[in-house]
Amino acid sequence: MRYINKLFLLFFCSTSIVFCQEILEKGNEDFIIAFGSCNKQNSRQPFWKEILKNNPNVFIWGGDNIYSDTDDMDIMKNNYTIQNTNLDYQKLKKTIPILGTWDDHDYGLNDGGVEWRRKKESQQLFLDFLGVSAEDPKRAQEGVYSSKIFEVEKGSIKVIVLDTRYFRSSLKKSEIKGKRYEPHQNEEGTVLGEKQWKWLEKELESNYSDFVIIVSSIQFLSSEHGFETWGNFPSEVERLKNILVDKAVRNAIILSGDRHISEFSMTNVKGLTYPLLDFTSSGLTHSYSNYNGESNKYRIGNVIAVPSFGVLNFDLDSYVVTMQIRGENNVVLQEFKKQYSKK
């Protein structure tokens, strides 16, 4: 059970945002997802016990699961071993299933994409880390994308994990001070690559689940900060939106990491019956300690610039999803509730 000591509420627009200083009392959750990103294997890792306190059904890695910018695969393998021998993480692995994608620092090249020469080797080490069997088809697949449906008594949740590294085109450097990259023009470049796009369309066209969770290591909606984001490839952003509409995908939520901050972003997409939400949770061991503000026209609530992890609680009777950014001692730093439709 979870209890309330102090609770500060802020309501605006048609949806509620709740800022909490203590832990919320237990709700009517039918399925719980915990997720996080940006985890240094040699740093203090305070959250594995706290994550388990939320009784999640699954934990999802959002990328940068270790920091190993190297072309030496022995070094990378050793860094994964360091993470896997963390006692609290071992307990998490024994308790619930773990899914995930990678980002640049466990891919092996900072801000790297299709050009990385050791991506095939680093992919095998990543799959080793997740405990993927030698016979699994993902061993022969290019890229670490995957999907899994979780069936529960009252419905199902489909998790689609994307790979935003293996096929991603080179980034366009910015000449604007304070910005690292700027958007491509004229439909240049790709985030997912054609092979992964075709796979994604098939995953979405016959979907029957109550909710679809799409995991992207980089932010999908926030694009004004000048770092890595889907917004560096505007045509790819539109392509995903169009697929969600064309395939009539029910209740999609995007999870992202990478930024060393946590925040909620949301926008209305013409043709979707619900707002599209991007829940960013980053990082697990460190944060953007010098953060002093940045523009994000889709932001809801505040930026959380301290280490944190994300939790999504699904009530399949009411179709309310309660999304929480949690910090040390499992304290809720920010909460967002969204009512979805059963139709």
Side-chain angles (χ1 to χ4, degrees):
M1 294 290 289
R2 286 169 285 178
Y3 299 92
I4 297 180
N5 287 332
K6 296 179 182 177
L7 183 65
F8 297 91
L9 304 180
L10 171 63
F11 297 91
F12 65 94
C13 302
S14 60
T15 330
S16 65
I17 300 214
V18 185
F19 299 87
C20 312
Q21 284 193 336
E22 296 295 337
I23 300 168
L24 296 177
E25 63 185 356
K26 186 173 176 58
N28 298 315
E29 302 91 351
D30 297 300
F31 193 81
I32 300 173
I33 292 174
F35 79 106
S37 64
C38 303
N39 179 78
K40 291 184 176 180
Q41 67 276 6
N42 290 306
S43 295
R44 173 176 172 265
Q45 298 181 23
F47 291 137
W48 304 122
K49 290 181 180 179
E50 308 308 319
I51 286 170
L52 284 175
K53 289 178 182 178
N54 293 276
N55 300 313
N57 298 88
V58 61
F59 176 77
I60 302 174
W61 283 108
D64 290 340
N65 313 316
I66 60 169
Y67 277 67
S68 194
D69 298 65
T70 180
D71 60 3
D72 187 324
M73 295 298 104
D74 288 334
I75 292 176
M76 183 176 285
K77 182 178 181 179
N78 182 64
N79 286 332
Y80 275 125
T81 298
I82 292 171
Q83 180 56 40
N84 265 325
T85 54
N86 180 287
L87 295 178
D88 292 332
Y89 179 63
Q90 285 184 350
K91 184 175 181 180
L92 181 86
K93 289 199 302 177
K94 292 176 182 178
T95 306
I96 56 174
I98 294 177
L99 304 178
T101 189
W102 57 12
D103 201 41
D104 54 342
H105 297 297
D106 42 354
Y107 187 53
L109 178 66
N110 185 41
D111 292 352
V114 67
E115 74 279 5
W116 179 224
R117 66 183 185 86
R118 302 306 299 270
K119 60 185 179 181
K120 292 183 179 180
E121 296 90 338
S122 64
Q123 176 174 332
Q124 296 307 310
L125 293 179
F126 173 81
L127 296 175
D128 290 344
F129 174 63
L130 289 185
V132 176
S133 71
E135 297 75 28
D136 193 293
K138 288 192 286 293
R139 290 287 182 175
Q141 169 186 291
E142 290 185 309
V144 301
Y145 55 89
S146 65
S147 70
K148 185 176 179 62
I149 296 174
F150 292 88
E151 301 277 359
V152 294
E153 182 180 352
K154 297 178 182 178
S156 67
I157 311 291
K158 183 168 188 175
V159 177
I160 296 176
V161 178
L162 300 179
D163 185 333
T164 64
R165 291 291 161 190
Y166 200 96
F167 304 99
R168 197 218 66 213
S169 301
S170 296
L171 298 165
K172 183 178 180 180
K173 292 186 178 181
S174 177
E175 296 180 0
I176 300 173
K177 184 178 180 180
K179 292 183 181 292
R180 189 177 295 174
Y181 305 111
E182 62 183 53
H184 284 277
Q185 304 298 323
N186 304 317
E187 300 186 358
E188 295 175 344
T190 183
V191 174
L192 300 184
E194 281 305 311
K195 187 179 296 185
Q196 187 175 184
W197 272 117
K198 291 177 181 178
W199 169 84
L200 179 59
E201 288 193 41
K202 289 182 179 179
E203 289 292 319
L204 294 174
E205 66 187 5
S206 59
N207 177 60
Y208 62 85
S209 295
D210 298 275
F211 291 89
V212 177
I213 306 303
I214 300 175
V215 182
S216 166
S217 65
I218 57 174
Q219 289 185 306
F220 181 74
L221 289 180
S222 179
S223 61
E224 301 164 61
H225 45 71
F227 296 100
E228 290 199 271
T229 166
W230 277 70
N232 290 324
F233 302 89
S235 61
E236 296 283 271
V237 174
E238 293 306 309
R239 186 171 182 175
L240 181 53
K241 289 179 180 178
N242 290 338
I243 289 175
L244 293 176
V245 173
D246 293 344
K247 305 301 181 184
V249 177
R250 298 178 64 201
N251 303 330
I253 300 171
I254 297 172
L255 307 183
S256 59
D258 176 57
R259 294 297 323 288
H260 305 169
I261 59 172
S262 296
E263 64 178 340
F264 299 110
S265 304
M266 191 171 72
T267 189
N268 291 314
V269 177
K270 185 177 180 180
L272 283 185
T273 59
Y274 54 90
L276 184 60
L277 183 85
D278 182 353
F279 180 1
T280 302
S281 181
S282 171
L284 288 167
T285 59
H286 57 290
S287 62
Y288 191 174
S289 58
N290 294 325
Y291 176 82
N292 59 5
E294 65 183 35
S295 179
N296 174 8
K297 62 184 178 181
Y298 302 114
R299 182 180 299 130
I300 295 176
N302 298 318
V303 167
I304 301 300
V306 297
S308 62
F309 62 95
V311 177
L312 296 89
N313 298 290
F314 297 84
D315 184 334
L316 296 178
D317 287 320
S318 67
Y319 264 50
V320 170
V321 182
T322 303
M323 292 165 258
Q324 300 168 333
I325 300 169
R326 288 180 175 259
E328 291 215 38
N329 301 314
N330 208 29
V331 169
V332 178
L333 303 173
Q334 191 168 176
E335 177 179 286
F336 179 68
K337 288 188 177 183
K338 182 73 185 73
Q339 173 76 63
Y340 289 85
S341 172
K342 294 186 179 182
K343 295 182 180 179

